[in-house]
Amino acid sequence: MDQTKIDVLRAQPLSAFTHLIDGKQVPASDGGTMDVISPIDGQVITTMAAGTAADMEAAIASARAAFEDGRWAGQPPAARKKVLLKWADLIEANALELAVLGVRDNGTEIGMAIKAEPGSAAATIRYYAEALDKIYGEIAPTPGDILGLVHKEPVGVVGAIIPWNFPMMIGAWKLGPALAMGNSVVLKPAETASLSLMRMAELALEAGLPPGVLNAVTGEGRVVGETLGLSMDVDVLVFTGSGGTGRRLMEYSARSNMKRVYLELGGKSPNIVFADAPNLDEAAKVAASGIFRNSGQVCVAGSRLLVEAAIHDEFVAKVAQAAEAMRVGDPLKVDTHVGAVNSEEQLKANLGFVEIAKTEGGEVVTGGDRILQDTGGYYMAPTIVTGVTRDATLAQKEVFGPVLGVTPFETEGEAIALANSTVYGLAGAAWTSNLGRAHRMVRGVRTGVMHINTYGGADGTVPLGGVGQSGNGADKSLHAIEKYVNLKTAWIKL
Ligand code: ADP
């Protein structure tokens, strides 16, 4: 990555962002705007449309019309594939510009953002583009002179509500399979990270996606997000974000048309280190990067470190050393390891969790504070708290910040019991040289993703999703397609 190019891009003034409805850029119907504040320095960098319920309804109506007239679903698969591949190419061609725009908006360090955001978004869209003409129905082994066919049909209009930590990547996890299967989509980016996703959506039109097939509306979740959730004209809602909002989306569904709702929610993922780990230095470095990159704003972050008591002090010292070696600061400097916390509100919440941890007997080994306040930005030192008991707030509640809680254990059974002691079940890891133990951990820890001697595998060929209150309906891989199709059975008398 070229620092000079990044510096040029970051200095570019931004014009106001609008909605994207029916292939056109449109302001909010009442002219309302929201300031976009950069977490890098707390400055307003542009404005975006503060969507109204009417704006969202217009977007849904446009998506519905586009679906009903078959302008996308009715195209031959090869034609849809061509458009999506072109879109992936355009995202790649504009990768640095998109990444810098996204970082100015959400604060993720550029080294991570360039790979995880445009890089992974383009790869995801390409993956589903390539898959779309290889997915078809079934002929059932029905008896006698009757033929049973199972069709896979697009569901219709998909509402996609996206969080602020990785807007392009997570956006693509929903948009890729939804559009590949012929659906129309109404996108609702997060208040504090809309810009890059809005730009990415515009590129879809440039690639040839017909107007109305992808509409995007910015604004407050409780205004435009609620309208999307309550719509009678949205068939499937897909979401990544907090448990509280996930619960609300299920309520919206129940109160309206009982649309299918797929939720990817938070986690309190256990990273379990046994004394027989193959390499404790490596485990410590990965434990630190697994919680502190992107300021801990990663749904699969290993936020609970469970350490075998015999190596507790030694291992915590190694993780603290790795944490202190991480450079926190301007996310648009290529040598920064940890960028800015997404918003002042999130930073305050993170610091609040540290205070609670202290009152519950936790000891802050490193970090714990806001730093670089003179920049005007929102930065927090990577924070490690030891002495976190099983039921402590830090062991039970997702922080979504750079805060690692440490809990010792004596036996494998105790490690599994601790690992499974939250309402969540998104990710986890175990570090051990014992093959049998490795498999027992994979079986025993209740999660959607389990790592052995590594953390944070990110390939698009495998599902990513949780169990329990971490959600349902994994993103990524061919399995994700199921969320965006209806099965229809046809009986044909021969
Ligand atoms: P966080 O609390 O970390 O910001 P949220 O779950 O609130 O996480 O945000 C994730 C996404 O959900 C954002 O796009 C946000 O606008 C949206 N959202 C928030 N509240 C609602 C709501 N009541 N209805 C629909 N969407 C919402």
Side-chain angles (χ1 to χ4, degrees), residues 173-184:
W173 290 350
K174 324 284 189 197
L175 290 168
L179 293 172
M181 291 298 102
N183 299 286
S184 294

Side-chain angles (χ1 to χ4, degrees), residues 161-164 188-191 219-222 225-226 239-242 245 248-249 252:
I161 302 179
I162 309 299
W164 42 260
K188 155 65 185 91
E191 291 85 331
E220 294 284 347
R222 60 171 199 281
E226 180 169 302
F239 170 73
T240 297
S242 64
T245 302
R248 243 171 252 132
L249 298 182
Y252 296 157

